[in-house]
Amino acid sequence: MDELPQLLRHNPNIQTINLEFSEIESLDPLMPWLTQFARLKELLLFGNRLETLPRDMSKLRSLEKLDISNNLISSIDTILPGLLSLPSLIELHITLQDFSEEQFLLNKLTSLKNLNGNAVEKYRAPIAIQEEESEDEKDIHKSLLACQSSGFFSEDTTLNQEYLEKIAGLYDEVRAMWVREDKSKDTLLAEDFDEGLKKIMGELADVLKDKRQEYLVNVYSLKAKFDLAMLCQSKLLDLSVKKNDKLGKKLKESNELLVQVFKETINNMMNFEPKVNKKISNMKNQVQHYQKESEEVVEAADQLQKEAKMHKDTKESIIKHFQEEREELLAEIESLKEENKKYLDTIIRHSKSYADNAISARSDDYKPEEDTRKYLANSPSLSKQNGKILSLRQIKEVIEEIYASKAKFDERCAEGKMPRETMEEHMYNYLNKKYGLKNLILEWAASIIASVKKYAQEDNDVAVFGLILKNECDEEFRFVQLQVRKTASELLRINLRNKFPFKSAADIGEMVNERMGGFLAEDEWNEIVRFMYNENDAEFIIEQLYSQKVKDEVSTDRPNRGKMSREEANIVREKEKALKNRILFNEFVNFLLDFQLRGHQKFLGNFIKVFRKIDTDSDGVLNEKEFMKLLATINLGFVESDCYRLLQMVDPFDNQNITFSECVALLSTELIPVENVPIMQRISGD
């Protein structure tokens, strides 16, 4: 990794090194560098391609935290020697398959204090309890561990150690209350709890041994939790009878009703087992039927194979005859080519003057975009008309076609290691490919430019396209605008689902479509803005929306409420409230898109000025020398190796053709050395 030597030079006492998502396949080449960071405490290797660790990592003496989760480690055995060699390791993050791997790691790494963000005591507590308790108590905890590792329970139903401790604590409190009333009951209460706990956990252990259906295990787990709770409940009821006989009896009657309802529910769930078994039996019968049909299909396939073998000789004969005919046809084609060439030479000789004129009018080096620029600049008719104005719908359709063509062209460039084009270049080449005729290309180019000028102020999509054509916005920004639209509609859906929790998904979908085709209520667009933006931006946007876009739709002809009932007046008030401060969804989204665009223009402002100084021919493309000059002008402390690394990334095939959008994409993702700040962010002054 080139970053490690540089990091060592600038900050040898760093305590945390983050190498996440660096596609590292082995740590062996990095160990000589890592061992030189004497105070290194945290090493983050999340999301790489590691399959194992070096067997000896003992030189990393200060390393306390290691994150190797989400790698390609197939077995703990391959990394265990390396983990054991770390003398100070107390926190480990690793992707594990099951509970047994956790226990294996904890048994081996005895100094570990934190595993995957959890205190190690949480994992080791059940084992310690089993080693110290009696045989009956061990059976209880075995049942508990079986429940935890069965994989059948959700977080809401799992019978775990935490729940048992909660029950035990509650029972101790009830027991203390009893002791204050009658000290002689203390021993009896303790025995009752132990016997009840053993009985309940024993029954649950028997269920797990029988390997019941998954849903039945879940049911028995719920029943066990209920029975444990009833241990405390019964003693509380007895205490209430002792203190207040009348009140205690009523509480007991109420409790008996609850117990009866719970038992009926559990019984109904358990009685569902025969139905399930019947369905399983039916499924087995169907499987047998399908197996029989499969055997018949196999027999038919064998028969077809035999028939195919019988026709093999005929097929070979046909192929041989076809090849002979093909060779004869190829020979005839060659003869026709020679004859055609003779005729072509004759035609060229007799029409040389015409050919010379055609070549001079349109040579092999003809570039439609350059010709169009000259035509647009010098044509008297266009200077007056500025091209035919398309409708907004037409120009947006043309823009989408150009975008789609550009995306396919960029894919071919990546596959063929060819240079990319600017959007302006591709527009002319797209028109040339579509229409071919020079006049049509010029007319369409003029129409597109004139239409963009007209609609840029009223439509965000057209404005973005126009800025891309002028190399004042990168091509990737249009995907940001698409995401803004998608996010706004999705947040609207979430808002409506929260407001109307009992509506079906279909009803919510209809409401979303209705809002998107009409108005948003004040609370709806407020919540969307506050979720999408930080506090300062959200306040600014909301203030602007109130001052520019919000429509108060409350009718001026309000009915006389003095003649209404209170209920009618409330209905009118609610309607007026719903109509107040509404905003059209399309206007709302366009406002957000314009806000994003203004922010992006401000973000790129300084860079555009620098780029234009370097791009002297204003074609939106730099060569290697100009790109190096661009980096020098930015002056962010890049050394020569940094500049060549960036050049290799933006122009890996040495095409000497680096577009404005490629520069923006590179400088928006690459970080300034040591500072860990994107280059473009520093250029923009943020």
Side-chain angles (χ1 to χ4, degrees), residues 636-652:
L636 292 178
F638 295 116
V639 297
E640 186 176 2
S641 60
D642 293 328
C643 295
Y644 278 106
R645 179 176 63 85
L646 294 174
L647 176 63
Q648 179 62 25
M649 294 177 67
V650 76
D651 188 19

Side-chain angles (χ1 to χ4, degrees), residues 270-288:
M270 292 178 178
N271 291 334
F272 189 65
E273 182 178 14
K275 297 179 182 179
V276 174
N277 291 336
K278 184 177 180 181
K279 288 186 178 180
I280 293 174
S281 177
N282 292 336
M283 291 174 66
K284 288 182 178 179
N285 293 334
Q286 290 179 1
V287 170
Q288 293 176 355

Side-chain angles (χ1 to χ4, degrees), residues 118-136:
N118 295 307
V120 165
E121 287 75 11
K122 177 178 178 181
Y123 295 88
R124 289 180 175 151
I127 298 175
I129 291 173
Q130 291 178 38
E131 292 174 351
E132 298 173 1
E133 294 181 341
S134 64
E135 292 299 324
D136 290 338

Side-chain angles (χ1 to χ4, degrees), residues 135-322:
E135 292 299 324
D136 290 338
E137 291 170 330
K138 288 181 180 179
D139 291 338
I140 291 173
H141 287 287
K142 286 179 181 178
S143 301
L144 176 62
L145 289 175
C147 291
Q148 291 173 331
S149 60
S150 64
F152 298 151
F153 309 122
S154 66
E155 293 181 357
D156 295 333
T157 59
T158 302
L159 182 57
N160 53 27
Q161 184 70 25
E162 183 181 355
Y163 185 79
L164 284 179
E165 291 174 355
K166 186 182 294 185
I167 290 294
L170 179 59
Y171 193 89
D172 286 341
E173 293 177 6
V174 175
R175 182 175 163 189
M177 294 169 64
W178 258 107
V179 170
R180 286 196 292 270
E181 294 293 327
D182 187 353
K183 293 183 179 180
S184 63
K185 293 285 188 179
D186 188 38
T187 303
L188 181 60
L189 288 169
E191 293 175 353
D192 288 347
F193 181 76
D194 291 341
E195 291 177 1
L197 182 62
K198 292 175 185 177
K199 180 181 178 183
I200 293 168
M201 298 306 292
E203 291 176 354
L204 185 58
D206 292 338
V207 171
L208 294 174
K209 290 177 182 177
D210 291 343
K211 296 182 180 179
R212 301 290 188 95
Q213 297 290 337
E214 294 182 7
Y215 73 90
L216 278 181
V217 177
N218 204 359
V219 170
Y220 278 106
S221 176
L222 286 172
K223 182 177 180 299
K225 291 181 73 173
F226 180 80
D227 290 341
L228 288 170
M230 289 306 300
L231 288 177
C232 301
Q233 178 77 352
S234 62
K235 301 304 178 185
L236 275 174
L237 291 172
D238 291 341
L239 183 59
S240 63
V241 171
K242 183 176 180 61
K243 286 192 170 187
N244 188 326
D245 183 63
K246 186 175 181 180
L247 176 61
K249 287 182 179 179
K250 291 299 180 183
L251 287 174
K252 276 196 170 186
E253 291 178 8
S254 175
N255 184 69
E256 288 174 359
L257 292 174
L258 291 174
V259 171
Q260 183 178 355
V261 171
F262 180 79
K263 287 183 177 179
E264 289 176 357
T265 303
I266 292 296
N267 289 335
N268 288 336
M269 295 173 72
M270 292 178 178
N271 291 334
F272 189 65
E273 182 178 14
K275 297 179 182 179
V276 174
N277 291 336
K278 184 177 180 181
K279 288 186 178 180
I280 293 174
S281 177
N282 292 336
M283 291 174 66
K284 288 182 178 179
N285 293 334
Q286 290 179 1
V287 170
Q288 293 176 355
H289 175 69
Y290 292 147
Q291 286 178 343
K292 185 176 180 181
E293 288 186 349
S294 299
E295 292 174 358
E296 294 175 354
V297 170
V298 171
E299 291 179 0
D302 291 339
Q303 183 64 28
L304 288 173
Q305 189 175 6
K306 292 178 182 178
E307 292 179 2
K309 191 174 182 180
M310 292 173 59
H311 294 294
K312 184 177 180 181
D313 294 338
T314 305
K315 178 182 177 182
E316 291 178 353
S317 175
I318 292 173
I319 292 173
K320 183 178 180 181
H321 179 68
F322 169 77

Side-chain angles (χ1 to χ4, degrees), residues 3 28 100 119 140 178 181 245 274 284 288 367 540 616 669 685:
E3 293 83 359
D28 291 321
S100 62
I140 291 173
W178 258 107
E181 294 293 327
D245 183 63
K284 288 182 178 179
Q288 293 176 355
K367 295 183 179 180
F540 173 79
T616 54
T669 55

Side-chain angles (χ1 to χ4, degrees), residues 134 247 256 280 287 357 377 390-391 431 488 556 578 589 591 607 627:
S134 64
L247 176 61
E256 288 174 359
I280 293 174
V287 170
N357 293 333
L390 305 175
S391 69
L431 294 174
T556 56
V589 172
F591 187 88
F607 176 73
F627 181 76

Side-chain angles (χ1 to χ4, degrees), residues 630-639 642 667 672-673 675 677-683:
L630 175 71
L631 295 179
T633 305
I634 293 172
N635 191 23
L636 292 178
F638 295 116
V639 297
D642 293 328
L667 301 181
I672 299 174
E675 296 184 26
V677 176
I679 298 171
M680 188 63 73
Q681 182 176 335
R682 178 56 61 84
I683 297 173

